[in-house]
Amino acid sequence: MQQLLRIAPVIDDLGNLFRAEGHELFLVGGSVRDALLGSLGHDLDFTTSATPDETHALLRRFTPSTWDIGKDFGTIGALKRADGQEWQIEVTTFRADIYRSESRKPEVSFGDSIDGDLIRRDFTVNAMAVDVATRAFVDPYGGLDDLADGVIRTPSTPERSFSDDPLRMMRAARFASRLGFIVADEVVRAMTDMAERITIVSAERIQAELSGLLLTDSPRAGLDLLVRTGIADYILPELPALKLELDEHHRHKDVYQHSLTVLDQAIALEKDRGHEPDIVNRLAALLHDIGKPVTRRFEGSKVTFHHHDVVGAKLAKKRLRALNYPSAVVKSVARLIDLHLRFHGYSDGEWSDSAVRRYVRDAGDELERLHILTRADCTTRNQQRANRLRRAYEELEWRIDELASQEEIASLRPHLNGDQIMEVLGIGPGREVGQAYAFLLEHRTEHGPLPEDEAVELLRQWWADR
């Protein structure tokens, strides 16, 4: 009731508008769930008996800021400013959507009752409503009990619910992680039996749901549920492939569990270092070892994964593109996976200036993310080794800061630019300019900055030696 009173300036006026025209209006779904959990924000979801056109007309009387981008799905949006606050509102006509077996998109149809609308919703904890006019609480499918018990259950049978929209199987995993709830046994069985049905859902919707899961505070439980039910085999097969069969002597750790732990640790480091949830960080942490299954070799008593960083970067690119992730995300994740072992080439020795410059140069804009991934990748139970790796990486970050205070290393450039190179050598654009540029950049990385006159002499000597 405290939550409802807090939003009363919005819902009272809106409710009176709809009621005066003979329409029902309910606060619904996630808004009711979050109100019951004491965490209702400024995004309010409603459902109504009014048609989309009727809803739009009423909302225009309520606020000048409205939009109908979701009209084909029965949804009209609005922005309302009241008492110094902004409220984002979505009002959807009672729905009765279904998927046909061969379709990738829902077939939209409108319902005629609140109970019919709620039974079509994904889970009981999202199938509760409050009548805006009377404040009557509507909970025909036991959502309040499931919310109290911490259980994810469907209003209708899970088979019917997942047949209507297979993406709900992934949503069950997201809510399990977001709310820390247990998924009911019958829901898990249906997810397992119907896993292949996820293939009719578009890549864009799968990507959005996967990102939503990864961006929760604790995605591990949801990801493990997707693997256990077989859904991951269709949307992210590289993840269950990490469950390598352990040999009898346990010569390598469980790569699957290691990857989930790295994700946990990357999320903790994000928070510790003051960052917002970052999908690039989390995808890189989850997928950093996906090259291991195809590179695993047994060499005597030792197991190896040579070049799994390079192979993993290529596999990540292919999978993320298939999921229609933005090209910038794909590029960043692949680069991080490709670089995630770079630190270990220096971890047992002292960092020279040239090694520091090369590390920073290769990381480029991904340096902070590489710091997080590399630190998170230490999951050894050997405390002595863990402490040694942590100290070594702290030394690297200290050396980067120290060198950065003396010279520009964040965006390394050669001693001379292309125009200067052509002027010194008396040549025009061509391959030789690129070769000279690469030579000067490598020298800058290895030895540090030079005064311009010395750089000119170095370039002339290189040219003469050719």
Side-chain angles (χ1 to χ4, degrees), residues 313-334:
K314 292 179 180 177
L315 291 174
K317 272 186 181 179
K318 183 177 180 181
R319 177 54 52 198
L320 296 181
R321 283 171 177 164
L323 289 171
N324 284 344
Y325 272 96
S327 58
V329 171
V330 176
K331 182 179 178 181
S332 293
V333 172

Side-chain angles (χ1 to χ4, degrees), residues 109-142:
S109 60
F110 299 128
D112 56 9
S113 71
I114 183 62
D115 284 6
D117 178 272
L118 295 179
I119 199 171
R120 285 292 187 178
R121 292 185 177 257
D122 50 8
F123 307 113
T124 58
V125 295
N126 297 328
M128 299 176 283
V130 174
D131 189 319
V132 172
T134 66
R135 297 295 195 271
F137 180 59
V138 184
D139 181 25
Y141 307 109

